[in-house]
Structures are given as structure tokens and as C-alpha cells.
Amino acid sequence: MYFITFSEMLGSKGKEIAGKVAAELGYSIFDEKKLLEAAERNGFLDEIMELDEKGPSFLERFLSERPKIYLDKLQSVIYDEARKGDIVFLGKGSQMLLNSFECALHVLVIGSLENRIQAVMKESHVLENVAKKIVERSDHDRDGFLRFAFGKSWLDPTLYDIVINTDKLGVEPAVTMVVEAAKSDEIKSCGIESVNLLGRLSLERKVESALLEARLTSPNVFTSVEDTETVRAYGIAYSVHEKEVIEERLKKVAGVKQVVNEINV
């Protein structure tokens, strides 16, 4: 199985290229619509919509765990989708989440500010000053999201295998380039170990968000995902009640079939 992640500057035709690449390779595509559908199935549609690929404000990060909870839920969805294989992802930090997998190809699509403004004017039927604000806000939000989530700039070229400038390269040549790269021997197919790793990573995010949401985090209690169905809790709790409450919350996490409770009191 394989993955391709696309990140794009608004107005650079990245979505169009991603869609054509997916069709050419016979891959499914995980776009905004599919993300919202997955979030709704998992019961956290409102949280995903609030995060919406932009970083939280300083006060939100300082005063609330909500941004971290939402981010964990978003990442768990991406990892779960990746387990299905042969999929094209559009943004949402997928280039970072799948960066260590040899079966992943990461693409960034860029363009000049002038050309992107013109594209937004044409697509959204707005005046130039409005289009400029839309493009600049998009760039700002996407950079803020990746810095919040991973401490990286989304335009760091080392995060990508291919950078396409649509000022000079049209959609069809760009599609051909990505498809040929995806079929190359250098992009290795993911095996069962990668599938299992994705399952553990997804479960880690679900466990973390569940404990944060229930306000059951403690500097002395830790969890580890042993496999795709088992969570181990260990450390020191203040009471037997706290130990039992943590175990019960972990048992309710989707995908958890066994909790090994090694917490001392």
C-alpha cells in the first residue's frame, strides 16, 4: 500500500492536481469532505471544524487543553484512514504524520502571490483586494496550524519529496510528474508492520485525547499502547478511586479491547 500527501498554497491548483493523481493511480482521496464524514462517524465533527487547519490563539493554548484534544482526534482519523492504503491526503498535517513511512510521497504545490490572487478572484468571483486577503489569511492559518501541531513551517522544503510551482508547470505535466514518482522503485510498499504502526499511532492519539477530555491526566500516570488493541497504564495514582476511574475511561476508548493496569497507589 502507498500514500501521497499534498500540501498547497491556496490558488495554486494543488487540489486539482491531487484529484487527477488519485484518479490516474486508482487511489481514494481524503479531502475536506471525507475528513468531516470521518469526524462525524467518530462523534467529534464540531471539534474538527473548530480546528480547521489553523493554529489556536496564544490564550487558547495557555488556558485550555481543547486545541490539543482536537489535534489528537484529527491525527487519529488520518492514521486510521492511512491504514486502508492507496490514498491521497490533502493537507491537515499529513505530510508530517506520515513523514517516516517509506511508502509515502510528499508533494507541495506553490505559486506566486499574484497568480494565486487571480485564481481566487476567478473561482470565488471577488474583487482583487478581497482575494488578496483570502490568500494571505490562508497562508497565515496553514503556517500557524503546522507550527502549533509540529513546530515546523509548512513551507519547509525538507518536508517534501516534490515541490511544484504551477506558475511554470501546468496541471497535466504536474500530474505526470507525481504519478511517475509514485510508481518509481524508490517508493517502497508498506507492509503489515506499517499497518500495525499506524494502528498504534491512532490509538495513542485516541487515548491521549480521552484522558485530556476527562481531565484524568497526571504528571505521575503514564500510558503506552502495546499493540493495536492493548493499552498499559502505569505510574502512581493518588487513590484507588483514581486508578479505577482511569482504567474505566481507557476501556471506553474506541479500539481498546484490553487495559493492563499497573498503576500503583
Side-chain angles (χ1 to χ4, degrees):
M1 67 178 191
Y2 301 89
F3 323 121
I4 302 176
T5 72
F6 273 87
S7 302
E8 66 150 0
M9 289 181 167
L10 182 65
S12 65
K13 302 181 181 178
K15 289 182 181 179
E16 182 181 353
I17 295 169
K20 288 179 178 289
V21 166
E24 182 78 17
L25 293 170
Y27 289 6
S28 59
I29 188 161
F30 192 72
D31 55 12
E32 188 76 18
K33 180 182 178 182
K34 293 289 182 65
L35 171 65
L36 296 180
E37 290 174 354
E40 187 169 24
R41 286 196 304 271
N42 287 279
F44 46 82
L45 177 60
D46 290 343
E47 291 97 321
I48 293 296
M49 291 184 71
E50 185 168 332
L51 190 59
D52 192 31
E53 203 167 39
K54 60 186 176 185
S57 69
F58 171 77
L59 284 177
E60 284 179 309
R61 293 196 299 269
F62 184 74
L63 298 174
S64 172
E65 294 286 3
R66 287 193 310 164
K68 178 59 178 169
I69 293 168
Y70 299 168
L71 184 62
D72 280 337
K73 291 180 177 183
L74 168 64
Q75 293 178 356
S76 72
V77 168
I78 290 174
Y79 283 133
D80 280 340
E81 289 299 316
R83 294 184 75 191
K84 301 173 184 178
D86 295 348
I87 185 167
V88 171
F89 288 94
L90 287 176
K92 305 301 180 185
S94 55
Q95 75 273 43
M96 289 296 302
L97 294 173
L98 303 174
N99 191 264
S100 62
F101 290 86
E102 292 187 346
C103 53
L105 180 69
H106 306 290
V107 182
L108 173 64
V109 184
I110 65 173
S112 66
L113 178 62
E114 295 77 10
N115 286 350
R116 293 189 295 129
I117 289 172
Q118 291 299 316
V120 170
M121 288 174 63
K122 182 177 180 181
E123 182 177 339
S124 301
H125 307 290
V126 295
L127 297 175
E128 183 175 354
N129 64 324
V130 176
K132 185 173 186 290
K133 288 185 177 296
I134 291 172
V135 170
E136 290 176 341
R137 172 63 63 85
S138 173
D139 289 350
H140 177 270
D141 285 349
R142 293 181 191 197
D143 187 63
F145 172 76
L146 214 71
R147 287 188 187 279
F148 157 65
F150 307 103
K152 295 277 190 178
S153 168
W154 74 295
L155 296 178
D156 180 350
T158 64
L159 300 180
Y160 305 97
D161 304 304
I162 299 174
V163 178
I164 297 170
N165 184 346
T166 51
D167 286 357
K168 295 187 176 181
L169 200 64
V171 170
E172 294 306 325
V175 170
T176 300
M177 179 189 296
V178 176
V179 168
E180 289 182 355
K183 291 180 177 179
S184 69
D185 293 337
E186 284 79 3
I187 306 299
K188 311 298 182 183
S189 176
C190 281
I192 188 64
E193 289 184 4
S194 296
V195 175
N196 289 335
L197 175 57
L198 288 164
R200 293 197 302 273
L201 290 169
S202 174
L203 194 56
E204 282 178 4
R205 300 306 192 274
K206 292 175 184 176
V207 165
E208 183 173 52
S209 65
L211 293 179
L212 284 170
E213 207 161 24
R215 298 186 178 182
L216 291 173
T217 55
S218 165
N220 301 317
V221 175
F222 312 93
T223 59
S224 65
V225 173
E226 305 296 291
D227 55 44
T228 57
E229 299 177 342
T230 306
V231 177
R232 180 169 70 96
Y234 59 100
I236 302 173
Y238 293 110
S239 66
V240 173
H241 175 70
E242 182 186 11
K243 175 180 177 177
E244 293 174 347
V245 169
I246 290 173
E247 179 175 342
E248 287 305 308
R249 185 65 189 91
L250 291 174
K251 286 180 178 179
K252 294 178 180 179
V253 174
V256 173
K257 294 188 178 180
Q258 181 180 6
V259 176
V260 179
N261 193 340
E262 298 177 350
I263 299 174
N264 296 315
V265 178

